[in-house]
Amino acid sequence: FGACIGGGDSCVVADYATPDVGIGVLPGNAAALSASMGSHGPTGNTPTKPALEGAIDYATAWANQNPGHATIVVLATDGDPNVCDSDLPAINAIASAGANGTPKILTFVIGVGGSVGALNGIAAAGGTTSAFMIDQDPNVQQAFLDALNTIQGQALPCAYLIPEPEGGEQINYNQINVYYTPSNGPEVVVPKVADAGACPADGLGWYYDNPSAPTQILLCPSTCSTISTDIGGSVRLLVGCDTIAE
């Protein structure tokens, strides 16, 4: 998201609601992202409020058009808000509205400079507890990449919409399976359990949010923890084969 270089910092929310590069699939979107970042640099002030509001507006619109995806905002900043209404409670309110909206848009914060308290406040309001402060790391570039990888793991959803069968057929809730491919091993089946109370303390499992009228597939807490911290892992949902259960 850009500011008006050379003409002062824009305080218009709409200026930040149109991305230089839209949300896309990697690695196909990598070249456009790299080119965009290479052609921009930090300049001017820190108009956090309109930038964050515009980013959340865009993310919300995209999420509404692409249901079933986890959509987040990452605010990377080199300082505290200082123009365009730098009132922290007002900025926190914007982050909170995104985190508590429908769809839910969490705000993660990566800070280089700026006060820890201010940036932590934005992250907490945005539903992500605290900011990633990387300016004290001797290798800032690697620290930034590590922060993005951690964010990817934390943002991975532990709830999935039930996939629609092909050809307009009726959903058979006894013919849905969940598979997990860890970053360092072969794909494994995640067995279905009866409900949240039947989740294993360790190991893998999933259950329906409502056994009589399911709308979502929910991963058990131990499964969610395992998958969320496996940066290179992936989850696959398969429809049409009898459900594998414990």
Side-chain angles (χ1 to χ4, degrees):
F1 300 89
C4 298
I5 308 301
D9 299 298
S10 173
C11 294
V12 179
V13 172
D15 288 345
Y16 302 91
T18 302
D20 196 37
V21 178
I23 294 175
V25 178
L26 293 174
N29 216 29
L33 288 170
S34 296
S36 175
M37 288 188 290
S39 64
H40 294 84
T43 183
N45 293 297
T46 310
T48 304
K49 184 181 178 184
L52 180 59
E53 186 172 357
I56 291 176
D57 285 350
Y58 171 74
T60 300
W62 192 92
N64 280 323
Q65 295 168 5
N66 297 271
H69 290 265
T71 309
I72 64 169
V73 165
V74 179
L75 173 66
T77 179
D78 64 351
D80 291 338
N82 62 4
V83 292
C84 306
D85 188 355
S86 57
D87 180 58
L88 286 174
I91 296 170
N92 292 347
I94 292 170
S96 178
N100 294 286
T102 304
K104 177 185 291 187
I105 306 296
L106 300 178
T107 294
F108 292 85
V109 180
I110 302 177
V112 179
S115 64
V116 175
L119 299 186
N120 278 346
I122 297 172
T128 61
T129 308
S130 60
F132 295 84
M133 301 300 296
I134 63 174
D135 53 341
Q136 299 302 313
D137 195 287
N139 188 339
V140 175
Q141 288 183 331
Q142 184 60 50
F144 186 81
L145 179 60
D146 291 343
L148 290 177
N149 284 334
T150 300
I151 289 169
Q152 181 186 28
Q154 292 178 357
L156 186 68
C158 292
Y160 300 88
L161 296 177
I162 298 172
E164 294 286 343
E166 295 182 359
E169 299 178 4
Q170 290 292 109
I171 296 177
N172 184 338
Y173 297 109
N174 295 314
Q175 290 189 337
I176 294 178
N177 283 290
V178 178
Y179 293 86
Y180 163 51
T181 302
S183 56
N184 60 351
E187 183 178 72
V188 295
V189 65
V190 180
K192 179 181 178 296
V193 298
D195 51 35
C199 282
D202 296 305
L204 303 176
W206 68 272
Y207 59 96
Y208 286 126
D209 60 331
N210 182 345
S212 60
T215 61
Q216 289 184 313
I217 291 169
L218 304 179
L219 300 184
C220 289
S222 62
T223 309
C224 179
S225 177
T226 297
I227 292 175
S228 294
T229 56
D230 184 1
I231 301 303
S234 62
V235 174
R236 181 170 67 98
L237 306 182
L238 180 65
V239 178
C241 295
D242 290 343
T243 300
I244 299 172
E246 282 195 331

